[in-house]
C-alpha cells in the first residue's frame, strides 16, 4: 500500500484556509449566529452590571413566554 502524501506547512495552511472559506460561504447565517451568541455570553460574563443583568433576565423571560405561546 502506498504511503499517504505528506503536505508541507504552507500547503496545509492553504488547504485549511480554503476549507474555512468554503464553510463560511455555505454557512453565513450559522456563523453570524455563533458570533452573536459568543458576544452575548462574553458580555454577560465579563462586562454586564447588575441592572443590565436584570434587564436581560426580563427580556429573556418575555422571550420564553412568547415562544411557549
Amino acid at each position: 500500500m502506498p504511503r499517504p502524501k505528506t503536505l508541507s506547512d504552507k500547503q496545509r495552511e492553504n488547504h485549511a484556509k480554503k476549507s474555512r472559506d468554503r464553510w463560511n460561504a455555505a454557512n453565513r447565517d450559522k456563523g453570524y449566529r455563533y458570533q452573536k451568541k459568543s458576544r452575548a455570553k462574553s458580555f454577560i460574563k465579563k462586562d454586564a452590571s447588575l441592572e443590565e443583568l436584570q434587564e436581560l433576565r426580563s427580556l429573556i423571560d418575555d422571550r420564553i413566554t412568547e415562544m411557549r405561546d
Side-chain angles (χ1 to χ4, degrees):
M1 190 153 50
R3 275 180 70 183
K5 182 179 176 184
T6 56
L7 300 175
S8 69
D9 289 341
K10 188 68 173 174
Q11 289 172 321
R12 191 172 287 115
E13 287 175 22
N14 287 338
H15 181 65
K17 183 182 182 319
K18 286 180 184 178
S19 294
R20 267 194 316 275
D21 291 344
R22 275 194 310 268
W23 189 92
N24 288 337
N27 298 286
R28 286 193 191 278
D29 294 338
K30 195 180 287 188
Y32 184 61
R33 181 175 164 77
Y34 291 156
Q35 186 181 52
K36 289 192 301 184
K37 182 179 174 181
S38 176
R39 287 181 182 172
K41 288 171 69 173
S42 178
F43 174 74
I44 290 169
K45 288 182 177 184
K46 296 178 183 177
D47 297 325
S49 67
L50 180 60
E51 293 81 21
E52 291 168 331
L53 290 172
Q54 290 170 338
E55 179 183 359
L56 289 170
R57 178 182 283 165
S58 173
L59 292 170
I60 290 168
D61 290 342
D62 291 347
R63 179 71 172 135
I64 289 171
T65 303
E66 180 182 305
M67 291 180 78
R68 284 185 180 158
D69 295 340

